[in-house]
Amino acid sequence: MSLAYAVYDVFTDQRFAGNPLAVVFDADMLDDAAMAAIAREFNLSETIFFSAAVSRTHTAAARIFMPGGELPFAGHPTVGGAIALAERDGGPDDRLMVIEEAIGPVRVALHGGEVPYAEFDLPRLPEAQQAVLDEGAVAVALGLAPSDIGFENHRVSQWSAGNPFLCVPLAGLDAMARARFDMAAWLAHFPGQDPLDVICPYLYCRDTVTHDAAFHARMFGPHHGIPEDPATGSAAAAFAGAVHHFDGLAEGPNALWIEQGVEMGRPSRIRLEITGRDGAIDAARIGGHAVKVAEGRLTV
């Protein structure tokens, strides 16, 4: 059996930047073990497998795998996968689609153009969680000094919008460049747990490289098979909670750009829109571009 696949660079409008994504089409006959093996073969941060949707009103069903296991939801597979489906169907033109992910149906809006763009409504709004690590332990695991942690009123906090992340504010770009993830030190705080269940740190600072970005970010996840991620949409979704909590965003829509992947030589741009209402997040969405870099047949 052979299946069509494509590779897209996501959260970028240029090839060989952003976050690479493998997209496998018509994967209805694949079982969990086969999808996990294929994801390990591609060895990208995520691979998305599309099959027929359960609901007639939805576009497709999807399963998302990292090299280390399955995710219920992820941002760059949702953006890149939606664009891949649209291009396979002769688009993308401006349209709406609904993708059935493990977290539930995800509504995606596509916008055509020279480089296609997709944005999706968060299927779950960010919720605050009790932070597992204190700032001292975080500093040690990142190879930083305690004084590198925090800026303004931003402190370490934990949020989840489907996948949990420890949001770690850093003093600036210098601290961001010096950060080195010590997996042994990190996992020492999670005895007896499967590493796949251990949260990842999402580092951010207000200083940026590009003039129009609001935040600069890095995400480490070697215990998930991802040494460092060039762009993490699900982390940006969780981070919306931290932004709203610490920055006190205005009522109505607030749009900002997050840059990531700079230290890896794969610069990425994630658009985060947060709509505030009555002092809380009423809605949020993640958006970005994607470009195809490869396609072929996968022998299974």
Side-chain angles (χ1 to χ4, degrees):
M1 177 175 64
S2 69
L3 299 174
Y5 77 88
V7 176
Y8 279 74
D9 286 338
V10 187
F11 292 126
T12 180
D13 58 3
Q14 300 180 24
R15 291 178 176 84
F16 314 121
N19 199 352
L21 169 73
V23 184
V24 179
F25 302 100
D26 304 320
D28 304 72
M29 300 300 293
L30 297 179
D31 60 18
D32 292 6
M35 285 185 276
I38 291 167
R40 290 192 297 270
E41 180 71 18
F42 279 118
N43 199 33
L44 300 176
S45 59
E46 279 127 13
T47 298
I48 187 167
F49 298 85
F50 282 119
S51 58
V54 174
S55 171
R56 292 183 180 180
T57 62
H58 296 166
T59 308
R63 302 278 298 278
I64 300 169
F65 282 78
M66 304 178 296
E70 186 173 8
L71 288 172
F73 155 74
H76 103 278
T78 301
V79 167
I83 289 172
L85 284 175
E87 289 195 330
R88 196 180 189 221
D89 193 35
D93 47 10
D94 292 353
R95 70 173 82 174
L96 292 174
M97 62 173 61
V98 177
I99 299 174
E100 298 171 355
E101 299 185 15
I103 198 172
V106 181
R107 180 177 176 272
V108 188
L110 290 111
H111 306 280
E114 185 175 348
V115 180
Y117 178 92
E119 59 183 350
F120 64 89
D121 298 323
L122 297 193
R124 187 177 299 170
L125 293 178
E127 297 179 348
Q129 299 181 330
Q130 181 64 43
V132 177
L133 301 183
D134 61 28
E135 293 189 355
V138 170
V140 169
L142 295 176
L144 298 172
S147 59
D148 291 319
I149 307 296
F151 65 84
E152 301 163 10
N153 65 328
H154 284 245
R155 311 311 302 177
V156 172
S157 60
Q158 187 169 315
W159 301 83
S160 177
N163 299 327
F165 289 90
L166 194 72
C167 297
V168 182
L170 296 187
L173 290 174
D174 175 69
M176 191 71 70
R178 288 187 284 109
R180 299 291 184 272
F181 186 70
D182 185 334
M183 184 169 68
W186 191 265
L187 293 180
H189 293 274
F190 302 90
Q193 295 191 32
D194 184 334
L196 190 61
D197 296 329
V198 175
I199 62 174
C200 297
Y202 182 72
L203 284 56
Y204 68 96
C205 67
R206 190 88 74 185
D207 295 344
T208 62
V209 175
T210 54
H211 73 280
D212 60 342
F215 292 98
H216 182 97
R218 299 180 74 179
M219 198 289 284
F220 297 104
H223 48 301
H224 290 185
I226 307 169
E228 183 173 354
D229 205 24
T232 319
S234 59
F239 177 57
V243 174
H244 189 272
H245 175 75
F246 291 113
D247 284 354
L249 298 180
E251 298 283 290
N254 300 265
L256 55 92
W257 287 95
I258 302 169
E259 62 182 27
Q260 190 177 339
V262 174
E263 290 80 4
M264 302 176 65
R266 296 195 66 94
S268 307
R269 287 168 56 82
I270 299 173
R271 187 176 186 273
L272 171 61
E273 183 176 315
I274 305 168
T275 301
R277 182 178 180 183
D278 297 330
I281 297 178
D282 184 58
R285 57 192 55 84
I286 297 288
H289 297 87
V291 290
K292 184 163 62 177
V293 295
E295 59 185 345
R297 304 288 303 183
L298 179 68
T299 302
V300 181

